[in-house]
Amino acid sequence: MSRETMAERQARLEEQMRALSAGVAALVEQGKEAAESRRRGYQAQEETRIEIINLKHRMDGMERAVDGIKPTTLELERVRDRVMFAGKLGQGLWSVGKILLAAAAGAASAWYAVTGRPPP
């Protein structure tokens, strides 16, 4: 093994210093990229937080609106039930009316057939 000269040692040290400098530069660049990535992550997180808050406000408004129309909805249900009952009652009365008209027409026809004159 030969001894290295001072110039060789200096060249080797300079090469190591350049490698070390390049490594530090790469670490600095990675640090900048990591900081930028974290900044974008925090920004996206903040935008999501704001959007969630807006959705919560809209949901609260929707709940208040639904609570506000609840009495109207209950009244509408009562009216609907009354209308359905009135419709069924009307159908029943119409059926009874048709039967009464048919019976009256039958009675008039029978009167005419028996007496030969129109009913009084």
Side-chain angles (χ1 to χ4, degrees):
M1 292 200 175
S2 69
R3 289 178 133 325
E4 63 183 341
T5 65
M6 192 62 121
E8 291 173 335
R9 179 179 279 176
Q10 185 178 2
R12 188 171 49 83
L13 283 175
E14 286 176 358
E15 184 61 36
Q16 288 175 347
M17 292 293 281
R18 278 192 290 272
L20 185 60
S21 178
V24 168
L27 287 176
V28 167
E29 185 62 31
Q30 287 177 355
K32 288 179 184 178
E33 289 173 0
E36 179 63 21
S37 176
R38 281 192 305 273
R39 185 190 66 76
R40 285 192 310 266
Y42 292 145
Q43 184 179 7
Q45 183 180 13
E46 182 66 16
E47 289 171 0
T48 303
R49 185 183 73 82
I50 289 171
E51 189 172 334
I52 288 172
I53 289 171
N54 289 338
L55 287 173
K56 183 183 180 314
H57 287 305
R58 288 179 62 193
M59 189 65 106
D60 290 343
M62 182 71 75
E63 288 174 350
R64 283 193 298 274
V66 167
D67 287 342
I69 65 169
K70 193 173 278 188
T72 305
T73 306
L74 294 174
E75 181 65 25
L76 179 64
E77 288 176 0
R78 283 194 294 270
V79 168
R80 183 196 64 205
D81 292 342
R82 288 179 191 157
V83 167
M84 288 174 56
F85 175 73
K88 290 181 181 178
L89 180 63
Q91 285 176 344
L93 290 176
W94 187 257
S95 297
V96 169
K98 286 193 294 186
I99 291 170
L100 287 175
L101 282 174
S109 143
W111 178 270
Y112 186 73
V114 169
T115 63
R117 311 179 276 153

